[in-house]
Amino acid sequence: MSWVIAAFAVTGVVLVAYAVRLRMRIAELRSADRQRS
Amino acid sequence: MVSALVTLTVVAAIAWLVWVSLDVASRADTARSVGIAALVVLPIWLVMVIYYAPIEQVQGVVQKIFYVHTPAILPTYLGFILTAVGGIGFLRTRREGWDQLAIAGCEVGVVFCSLMLLVGPIWAKPVWGQWWVWDLRLTSTLILWFIYVAYLMLRGLAFGSDTAKTFSAIYGIAGTAAIPFVYFAVDLAQGSTMHPSNPAREGLPPEMGRTAGVGLIAFLLVFAWLVARRLQLAALEAKAQAARGGDVA
């Protein structure tokens, strides 16, 4: 069972980490864009 | 029924992503509804994996890793196909949106390919007794991953250069030649590979097939949402780059 939990956990962590990284970078660039304009 | 829904999701995802890439600034916000759809389907898939899909008799509960490993395959291939589609579009029109689609498809494709390469060994260790074997399917998948990581490194090193965009487009188109090789690796190995054959041909029991199908739809929705967000990021990066260029000038 621990192998299954590990597989699902790895998938969840990778996808969530990537999504969070995208959102943070988008927020950062949007904020810089607003400051420019 | 489920396989028809999977096909429909694939076609709709590609069409929608191409549509978004042609005007990212005003269309990227439609990603919100795709994200919500993913958040609805993902829990359904998890419940099906836990309660609906039967426990396989030979491998036992470890076989359930199949439901998280195989759905990553289609987004991987689709991401790399989008890289080629974006490359062809860019070479024909020189429009920035196509180039951004190529980068977004590649990066998200690499994320899903990495997942396949990470989750596969977690299944292999208890079933095969070892994390990795250098058979044709595993090795060709690793080579595929390297091909597209090299693409991303190339883009990272030469941001904004028109020559880099043209070269990347050609590289991205040529890279898709590796996809059929990976897909048919088990057949090409003619029995000398340890990796199971493609699930589509295995004739899974209905409960397993439906669970895998819903997993595919869930992963495709996550994939489409991530590509749309990555497109949005690429458009913002290009805008920031243009502003910096303007400041310098």
Side-chain angles (χ1 to χ4, degrees):
Chain A
M1 192 64 184
S2 56
W3 294 107
V4 182
I5 293 167
F8 278 79
V10 165
T11 304
V13 166
V14 169
L15 289 177
V16 169
Y18 181 66
V20 168
R21 181 184 157 273
L22 280 183
R23 285 187 79 100
M24 284 173 68
R25 187 90 183 102
I26 288 169
E28 196 180 302
L29 286 171
R30 269 184 176 161
S31 154
D33 188 41
R34 271 196 295 272
Q35 280 173 2
R36 270 197 306 273
S37 57
Chain B
M1 171 70 179
V2 176
S3 59
L5 273 175
V6 170
T7 311
L8 186 71
T9 313
V10 169
V11 174
I14 292 176
W16 175 68
L17 287 169
V18 168
W19 177 75
V20 170
S21 74
L22 295 176
D23 187 3
V24 180
S26 65
R27 295 172 180 174
D29 282 341
T30 54
R32 183 180 291 270
S33 45
V34 176
I36 291 167
L39 286 176
V40 170
V41 180
L42 278 168
I44 296 172
W45 164 67
L46 276 174
V47 167
M48 286 178 82
V49 170
I50 297 166
Y51 299 107
Y52 179 69
I55 292 177
E56 208 255 353
Q57 287 180 344
V58 179
Q59 295 178 30
V61 77
V62 174
Q63 185 271 340
K64 296 220 176 198
I65 294 174
F66 163 86
Y67 301 113
V68 74
H69 177 63
T70 50
I73 297 169
L74 202 49
T76 300
Y77 294 162
L78 269 185
F80 299 155
I81 288 167
L82 280 179
T83 306
V85 170
I88 293 166
F90 180 75
L91 290 177
R92 284 174 61 92
T93 64
R94 315 303 288 185
R95 274 179 75 160
E96 199 71 22
W98 287 111
D99 183 57
Q100 290 165 356
L101 179 68
I103 300 173
C106 182
E107 192 173 291
V108 181
V110 165
V111 169
F112 279 94
C113 193
S114 307
L115 275 179
M116 264 202 306
L117 290 167
L118 284 169
V119 171
I122 299 175
W123 171 83
K125 181 63 179 167
V127 175
W128 291 345
Q130 46 196 331
W131 296 100
W132 184 270
V133 289
W134 291 101
D135 83 348
L136 202 55
R137 169 55 76 82
L138 275 71
T139 310
S140 59
T141 306
L142 186 63
I143 291 169
L144 185 74
W145 184 83
F146 275 119
I147 289 172
Y148 285 96
V149 167
Y151 175 96
L152 292 176
M153 287 172 74
L154 172 75
R155 300 309 306 252
L157 290 171
F159 185 84
S161 148
D162 199 56
T163 314
K165 286 176 188 171
T166 305
F167 180 76
S168 307
I170 297 165
Y171 183 99
I173 295 163
T176 49
I179 296 174
F181 184 72
V182 176
Y183 184 79
F184 292 110
V186 176
D187 305 281
L188 290 168
Q190 294 180 333
S192 65
T193 174
M194 285 174 75
H195 194 281
S197 60
N198 297 324
R201 279 185 245 156
E202 271 184 4
L204 293 169
E207 295 88 348
M208 287 185 175
R210 284 184 206 119
T211 308
V214 173
L216 265 175
I217 293 169
F219 272 47
L220 282 168
L221 289 168
V222 172
F223 165 82
W225 181 78
L226 287 173
V227 174
R229 288 295 180 215
R230 185 60 185 82
L231 273 170
Q232 201 175 8
L233 176 59
L236 286 165
E237 279 173 345
K239 200 173 171 186
Q241 179 82 0
R244 275 198 295 274
D247 290 345
V248 170

